[in-house]
Amino acid sequence: METPVLTEPSSLPNMVTDIHSPELPAEILPLIFGRAIAPKFLLDPSLNPCLDSPWRKAIEMALSISTVCKTWHFAGIPFIYESVVFRHLGQIPAFLRTIEMAPFKYQNLVKEVTVYAFVRPYFGASFSKYLQKIIDNCPSLTSLGFLSPLALPSTITLPTLHSGITQLSLTDIATPTIFRLIDSARDTLVSIHLRVVTPMETGTGINETILLPHLRDLSIIVGFEQSPLDWMIQLLLVPGLQKFVYASFPFLMHRDRNCQQLASFLKTNGSQIHFLQLQSAYGQFGEDVQELLDACPLLQHLGLFPGAVMNVSHSTIKWLDVGPLNSACKNTEAWTMSSARAAFPNLQGFREMFGPNEILRTIPTTMPPDSIMPSDATFDLIYPGIELQSRPGAVRIRRFIDYLEYFEDTSTDSDSNYTSDDSSCSSGEYTDTTESVSVRSLDDLLYHFCNVNSSE
């Protein structure tokens, strides 16, 4: 596939004004473009190498919009730079050069930075330096994520966060590093997402409780058996917690002591929780779930994935979202509206949800049942590569790639986001490459990357 090009506005035509193509007010264009580009909660950047990745198609749509004309360029640029994803290390210095060369154009647009790139230990110092510069040069940055499929080396020094950071998303960073980041932003954090797929260290290097006065949303995903959560129970104090998501892969919750640990955590921090979601990819939940519900006296919205019926009850739950039964749910019944009403007497709504786990995890909060008016409304959200169908009592998400036998990758730069119009790095546009390198400095990595692009 041909690499998308981000054309400079000086080379773009002016908007043609005639009866067939009227010039719209500048403030109207973003509203229109926002309907053409898939919302972030339906996108998964980790699927980017696939040719039919919805995330990749959304980026291509934003790039196409920004190259139509000058008017569309300035209206479309925020859709490209608001949420920046680094999938390769070469993107990091290129992006920094971009915002340093045109600070008034780009710096205030960046609100979210997520690192998916694998960082080798010998790139650690340079990675830390560049990332710190990006954070310092993006005053509107509110969300920072490290979601590489491979763990960041424990020797890497992660950046110092400024006071505007309200959301952290972290995967497999050594426990002391997690707590240093959380502690550095304790007064501003509103949301924390932790994904742990290898055993966590028992020591944190922190001997006092971290009070998070403004944290409202906490999500924890563990991916191995016997994952001790004592560190969370002992060190995090979240009196204002309102949304809590816990997902376990691949063990059965009733075979693990995490449920008891969660109950202890919720007894301390669950007094204000109104949304609780429990997810287990390959199993069903044990009867200890009742203890979790009892620890949340104000609970209104419950999500259970899979949706196997349990002997539980709660007096304040109004909405129940459930996922389909999986292979481990043998000889069990699925929730129905009648069984849900029997368990939750104040129930107002019930939804079955079907789709990829990583997207279903966010749908209950991004599309809460009380936000759909009227409650029996029917609508579809259709974007390239993905569609969402909302029906009374059901939400279904379909991605084209989920029906492919394999992901087709390309040998070219298949996931470039930003490339200058002359295919070089002279303009500093943020881009990437899949070429492997053996250098130790991101400066040299950028030089190598630019030469690769200019030779194509």
Side-chain angles (χ1 to χ4, degrees), residues 29-151:
L29 290 176
L31 300 178
I32 298 174
F33 299 157
R35 303 302 190 273
I37 302 172
K40 188 174 64 174
F41 71 87
L42 290 178
L43 305 177
D44 180 10
S46 67
L47 296 177
N48 185 45
C50 177
L51 285 174
D52 294 291
S53 162
W55 183 83
R56 177 180 175 181
K57 289 183 177 296
I59 289 294
E60 291 173 351
M61 176 67 75
L63 287 167
S64 298
I65 287 173
S66 68
T67 57
V68 170
C69 62
K70 293 180 181 178
T71 303
W72 284 33
H73 177 84
F74 290 108
I77 280 293
F79 292 96
I80 300 174
Y81 281 90
E82 281 181 350
S83 182
V84 175
V85 175
F86 296 129
R87 291 193 52 84
H88 302 290
L89 288 182
Q91 291 179 297
I92 297 176
F95 176 77
L96 179 62
R97 180 188 292 188
T98 297
I99 61 176
E100 287 181 337
M101 291 181 65
F104 296 105
K105 181 178 180 180
Y106 298 114
Q107 284 184 350
N108 290 318
L109 297 179
V110 181
K111 295 179 174 60
E112 180 178 354
V113 169
T114 307
V115 178
Y116 278 88
F118 170 54
V119 184
R120 296 183 180 275
Y122 49 74
F123 281 124
S126 186
F127 169 80
S128 301
K129 180 185 71 173
Y130 273 103
L131 198 60
Q132 185 66 65
K133 286 184 177 180
I134 289 174
I135 293 175
D136 295 341
N137 280 278
C138 296
S140 299
L141 184 66
T142 60
S143 177
L144 185 64
F146 300 93
L147 300 177
S148 172
L150 298 176

Side-chain angles (χ1 to χ4, degrees), residues 112-115 143-147 167-171 173 191-195:
E112 180 178 354
V113 169
T114 307
V115 178
S143 177
L144 185 64
F146 300 93
L147 300 177
Q167 179 175 337
L168 282 179
S169 300
L170 307 171
T171 293
I173 298 177
S191 175
I192 297 178
H193 172 85
L194 301 178
R195 180 187 292 267

Side-chain angles (χ1 to χ4, degrees), residues 188-249:
T188 60
L189 282 177
V190 175
S191 175
I192 297 178
H193 172 85
L194 301 178
R195 180 187 292 267
V196 185
V197 295
T198 56
M200 300 184 70
E201 302 173 13
T202 55
T204 63
I206 297 178
N207 298 318
E208 60 180 17
T209 300
I210 299 179
L211 173 63
L212 301 171
H214 304 294
L215 193 72
R216 300 293 180 263
D217 187 350
L218 177 61
S219 174
I220 297 178
I221 303 171
V222 294
F224 57 94
E225 294 196 15
Q226 301 301 327
S227 165
L229 297 177
D230 297 305
W231 56 271
M232 182 183 73
I233 298 169
Q234 296 172 357
L235 297 176
L236 291 184
L237 183 60
V238 195
L241 188 62
Q242 297 179 0
K243 302 176 183 178
F244 181 64
V245 175
Y246 176 79
S248 59
F249 306 90

